Amino acid sequence: MKRTLVALAALAFAGTAIAQGASFADIDADQSGDLTYAEVTAVAPEITMEAFSAADADRNGSLSEAEFAVLAGSGG
Ligand SMILES: [Ca+2]
Ligand SMILES: [Ca+2]
């Protein structure tokens, strides 16, 4: 079942370290206030550049807390 979820996790963070409780501040290793792809994949290596780029709404190459919230599905 976990293998089936890997493909989905790449799109929605479901079942990842992030979904399991890693917060924005935890992931922002250099405390710059945004998350680079390297920072995200350090805790969630299954996240693809495609998924990261899709969440990067302003295309600046990093995720703001708001962009990250969308990707992490924090609406619930
Ligand atoms: Ca950072
Ligand atoms: Ca961005």
Side-chain angles (χ1 to χ4, degrees), residues 9 15 19 27 31 61 66 72 75:
I27 300 165
Q31 301 186 332

Side-chain angles (χ1 to χ4, degrees), residues 13-39:
F13 278 118
T16 68
I18 292 167
Q20 290 163 12
S23 71
F24 183 91
D26 291 333
I27 300 165
D28 187 14
D30 64 0
Q31 301 186 332
S32 63
D34 53 22
L35 306 182
T36 63
Y37 183 64
E39 286 173 336

Side-chain angles (χ1 to χ4, degrees):
M1 186 165 187
K2 284 194 172 179
R3 284 184 183 160
T4 304
L5 289 174
V6 168
L8 297 174
L11 295 175
F13 278 118
T16 68
I18 292 167
Q20 290 163 12
S23 71
F24 183 91
D26 291 333
I27 300 165
D28 187 14
D30 64 0
Q31 301 186 332
S32 63
D34 53 22
L35 306 182
T36 63
Y37 183 64
E39 286 173 336
V40 171
T41 55
V43 298
E46 67 273 41
I47 300 303
T48 64
M49 181 58 90
E50 280 186 337
F52 181 90
S53 295
D56 183 15
D58 63 2
R59 301 285 179 187
N60 70 346
S62 60
L63 300 185
S64 67
E65 192 161 6
E67 288 168 345
F68 170 75
V70 171
L71 187 58
S74 67

